[in-house]
Amino acid sequence: MSRLRRTPPQDLTPQARALYEKITSGPRGQFMVDSEGGLTGPFNAMLLSPPVGDPLQELGAAIRYRSSLTDRARELAILAVANHHDSAFERAAHEPIARDLGFTDDQLQALRTGAPLRLSDATETAILNVTRGLLTKGDLDDEEYATLDKEQLFELTTLVGYYTTLALQLRVFRV
């Protein structure tokens, strides 16, 4: 059971309401709104502290919609983070996106379990290997570091940190 009540927009403080409007009018739109108008997933917790929640959701929007990582590479990394932190919400939110991007059921199963995964794209393979290295070691060896360009590596480490933060918040607030 969730530790947070999903607050309908009319019951929010003015600051929280402004953040709510920003989240629901953005590219994530109504996907994160329940039948009574409350925010679902990690976004509900962001309303607790709009001065922190707003930059956090902006970071997520930048990662999702303005990064140089391909959609497939991004979803690979997100699902690897979801597996590592056993984040059911992130898995449920991102597996359909990955499926729409052409990931097979077998590939999604490998991402769910952390099993080896053969990918035909060398960059996707590097993204997955680097993500798993970051998650298991908190660092990269020189060989892993050299598999991506610095822009990709910066964006990927930011993605791993962001989705790790969300996984922690989702777990603590029992979302």
Side-chain angles (χ1 to χ4, degrees):
M1 164 143 328
S2 180
R3 291 177 169 167
L4 289 181
R5 174 179 169 257
R6 288 187 191 157
T7 307
Q10 65 272 14
D11 295 343
L12 295 171
T13 66
Q15 263 192 318
R17 179 64 185 251
L19 178 54
Y20 174 95
E21 296 295 336
K22 193 172 185 179
I23 292 168
T24 59
S25 66
R28 290 166 258 199
Q30 296 299 312
F31 174 71
M32 293 295 171
V33 178
D34 70 16
S35 62
E36 295 176 16
L39 290 180
T40 63
F43 299 100
N44 188 42
M46 292 177 191
L47 299 176
L48 295 170
S49 175
V52 175
D54 187 26
L56 184 61
Q57 72 84 24
E58 281 288 341
L59 176 60
I63 291 166
R64 288 280 313 276
Y65 305 108
R66 299 188 297 271
S67 143
S68 68
L69 298 174
T70 67
D71 292 345
R72 283 180 55 91
R74 182 192 67 240
E75 294 307 316
L76 265 172
I78 292 169
L79 289 172
V81 172
N83 169 64
H84 181 78
H85 294 291
D86 195 24
S87 182
F89 181 88
E90 291 300 343
R91 197 175 297 118
H94 288 274
E95 280 187 357
I97 297 168
R99 189 171 282 111
D100 288 345
L101 292 169
F103 286 92
T104 67
D105 288 338
D106 288 343
Q107 290 172 323
L108 292 174
Q109 180 62 27
L111 288 167
R112 263 183 236 117
T113 63
L117 177 57
R118 284 196 165 285
L119 297 161
S120 59
D121 183 90
T123 301
E124 289 178 7
T125 298
I127 292 285
L128 181 59
N129 291 339
V130 167
T131 300
R132 286 177 170 173
L134 291 168
L135 291 166
T136 58
K137 300 180 295 190
D139 196 3
L140 300 174
D141 60 35
D142 290 342
E143 184 178 319
E144 292 165 324
Y145 179 85
T147 60
L148 298 172
D149 69 40
K150 288 180 180 42
E151 180 183 10
Q152 290 171 318
L153 193 55
F154 174 78
E155 291 178 356
L156 185 60
T157 57
T158 303
L159 179 152
V160 170
Y162 173 76
Y163 280 94
T164 294
T165 296
L166 294 187
L168 175 63
Q169 292 172 342
L170 289 163
R171 185 171 45 257
V172 168
F173 292 112
R174 306 290 191 264
V175 177

